Amino acid sequence: MKTRKNERNRSKKIFRKTRSKRQRGSGGTETLARNNNLIKASRFGHTKIAAMQLENGADVDARDIYGSDSTALIWASKNGHPETVAMLLEK
């Protein structure tokens, strides 16, 4: 049984059921692949490929998805690739 008191206290908010960007398919996996390719290129000193990935929208601050939680800059500096490090610092 509804009472006036309960009707007044009830919230008027409407909650929509929304899906995340990944569930909608709005580039979640493409962005992840671009970021991963940037990290791989930086890790092995491929400066031109890393620059191309950055031009295509890769994130310089993205973390490695394979558990090391390192960025492209960290990988390039760990493995001794000064050209790649300099290019990443410019971006």
Side-chain angles (χ1 to χ4, degrees), residues 5 8 13 16-17 19 21 23 31-32 35 37 40 43 47 53 56 63 66-70 73 75 80 91:
K5 186 176 181 182
R8 274 186 275 147
K13 292 181 183 177
R16 285 188 294 168
K17 290 184 179 179
R19 297 185 312 168
K21 287 182 180 179
Q23 289 170 330
T31 304
L32 193 62
N35 293 339
N37 289 337
K40 282 183 183 178
R43 185 177 184 180
T47 308
Q53 292 298 322
N56 289 332
R63 300 281 177 175
Y66 296 113
S68 66
D69 202 35
S70 298
L73 181 62
W75 276 115
K91 304 290 178 175

Side-chain angles (χ1 to χ4, degrees), residues 39-45 63-64 66-86 88-89:
I39 291 170
K40 282 183 183 178
S42 301
R43 185 177 184 180
F44 297 110
R63 300 281 177 175
D64 193 2
Y66 296 113
S68 66
D69 202 35
S70 298
T71 63
L73 181 62
I74 292 172
W75 276 115
S77 61
K78 268 187 191 178
N79 294 332
H81 304 296
E83 302 88 16
T84 308
V85 170
L88 291 170
L89 288 173

Side-chain angles (χ1 to χ4, degrees), residues 11-12 15 17-18 27-28 38 45 52 60 63 80 84-85 88-89:
S11 175
K12 303 263 187 214
F15 294 99
K17 290 184 179 179
T18 58
L38 171 66
M52 185 173 47
V60 178
R63 300 281 177 175
T84 308
V85 170
L88 291 170
L89 288 173

Side-chain angles (χ1 to χ4, degrees), residues 48-65:
K48 290 181 182 178
I49 296 172
M52 185 173 47
Q53 292 298 322
L54 287 171
E55 288 172 8
N56 289 332
D59 183 16
V60 178
D61 298 323
R63 300 281 177 175
D64 193 2
I65 61 172

